[in-house]
């Protein structure tokens, strides 16, 4: 099993450009999450999903959109990138509930110039 | 916010010594989880302790939970250079709230 995978691993954008980060999991998990990690800030939840076709806002959702068209995939979109979105983005998934342990992907390092 | 806060922010010890990290949180919890993050990598789940448990062991890890003080501690015994990483506590509600982490450096 690959667990949780993320593509791409690195990306550099110019302000105003758009992009989509892809997260995939092969553990048949219901819950999936997108976090961003900034120095000294820990992890902050952007959006999450409790099942196929559902999404919900987390702590810092502004400037991001998500979609969960398939159970195994969770997409994070930036419609118009800003330098403040320079960060490392992590996807995670968990099984039966949000109280279970989460499994993390390796991260995507995004730089917005 | 239900966010956990780790203490200390950074810890440097010699190989073979024990490392203790503390976590405080703000509201009642169902469980508390500890994660490790090696530099440049994703987080890895270490251990989960439920609110009705006071202590839990996993290999060289020992976690305690004091719900009256809203605090938890993670003890790593006989540390190794490979334990060098950042350690986070996390408290779940509708989602998981992470602290800012303790950066542990184990010197060979």
């Amino acid at each position: 099993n690959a667990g949780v995978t993320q593509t791409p691993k690195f990306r550099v954008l110019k302000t105003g450009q758009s992009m989509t980060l892809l997260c995939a999991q092969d553990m048949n998990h219901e819950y999936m999450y997108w976090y961003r990690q900034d120095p000294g800030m820990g992890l902050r939840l952007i959006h999450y999903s409790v099942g196929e076709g559902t999404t919900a806002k987390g702590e810092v959702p502004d400037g991001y959109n998500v979609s969960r068209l398939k159970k195994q995939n969770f997409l994070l979109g930036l419609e118009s990138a800003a330098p403040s979105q320079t960060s490392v983005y992590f996807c995670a998934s968990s099984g039966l509930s949000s109280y279970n342990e989460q499994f993390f992907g390796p991260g995507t390092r995004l730089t917005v110039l | 916010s239900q966010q956990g806060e780790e203490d200390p922010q950074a810890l440097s010890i010699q190989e073979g010594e024990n490392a203790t990290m503390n976590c405080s949180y703000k509201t009642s919890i169902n469980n508390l989880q500890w994660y490790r993050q090696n530099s440049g990598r994703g987080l890895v789940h270490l251990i989960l302790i439920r609110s009705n448990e006071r202590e839990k062991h996993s290999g060289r890890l020992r976690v305690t939970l004091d719900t009256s003080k809203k605090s938890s501690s993670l003890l790593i015994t006989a540390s190794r250079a490979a334990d060098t990483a950042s350690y986070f506590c996390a408290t779940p509600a509708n989602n998981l709230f992470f602290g800012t982490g303790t950066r542990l450096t184990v010197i060979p």
Side-chain angles (χ1 to χ4, degrees):
Chain A
N1 288 350
V4 179
T5 58
Q6 294 181 232
T7 53
K9 288 184 170 53
F10 303 93
R11 186 72 186 269
V12 178
L13 291 179
K14 294 181 179 179
T15 297
Q17 288 185 319
S18 63
M19 77 163 295
T20 300
L21 283 68
L22 172 63
C23 175
Q25 53 96 3
D26 61 2
M27 296 172 283
N28 201 34
H29 283 169
E30 291 294 335
Y31 289 70
M32 296 187 74
Y33 314 83
W34 275 108
Y35 295 91
R36 60 177 289 173
Q37 185 176 34
D38 303 292
M41 299 288 289
L43 273 80
R44 292 181 293 169
L45 183 67
I46 304 171
H47 285 280
Y48 65 101
S49 169
V50 302
E52 182 178 318
T54 73
T55 62
K57 294 180 180 180
E59 185 182 355
V60 289
D62 294 342
Y64 305 95
N65 58 75
V66 288
S67 64
R68 183 99 180 268
L69 298 180
K70 293 183 179 180
K71 185 177 183 179
Q72 63 268 34
N73 295 337
F74 195 29
L75 278 64
L76 178 70
L78 286 74
E79 290 186 348
S80 179
S84 61
Q85 294 178 304
T86 293
S87 188
V88 181
Y89 291 86
F90 289 98
C91 176
S93 70
S94 63
L96 295 176
S97 81
S98 61
Y99 293 92
N100 288 16
E101 66 177 284
Q102 292 190 9
F103 295 82
F104 282 79
T108 295
R109 184 173 295 275
L110 175 65
T111 301
V112 182
L113 302 175
Chain B
S1 171
Q2 199 165 341
Q3 188 175 22
E5 293 293 336
E6 293 88 349
D7 173 64
Q9 290 187 345
L11 180 61
S12 185
I13 60 173
Q14 296 288 329
E15 200 167 32
E17 294 181 338
N18 295 343
T20 300
M21 288 158 269
N22 302 298
C23 168
S24 60
Y25 57 93
K26 296 180 180 178
T27 62
S28 60
I29 59 172
N30 173 279
N31 66 63
L32 187 142
Q33 302 173 25
W34 285 91
Y35 289 78
R36 183 189 74 230
Q37 184 180 32
N38 291 90
S39 181
R41 302 288 188 93
L43 279 71
V44 175
H45 182 265
L46 293 176
I47 195 165
L48 181 155
I49 185 165
R50 303 190 189 285
S51 59
N52 61 353
E53 297 176 311
R54 292 296 168 260
E55 187 172 312
K56 197 165 184 179
H57 297 255
S58 177
R60 293 184 296 111
L61 305 180
R62 172 178 170 254
V63 170
T64 62
L65 179 65
D66 187 336
T67 53
S68 66
K69 295 182 179 178
K70 292 185 169 59
S71 67
S72 173
S73 68
L74 171 67
L75 168 68
I76 304 174
T77 60
S79 63
R80 306 166 181 169
D83 295 327
T84 293
S86 292
Y87 292 81
F88 296 86
C89 67
T91 54
N94 290 327
N95 39 67
L96 206 57
F97 292 91
F98 286 86
T100 53
T102 292
R103 178 177 291 277
L104 172 66
T105 302
V106 181
I107 303 167

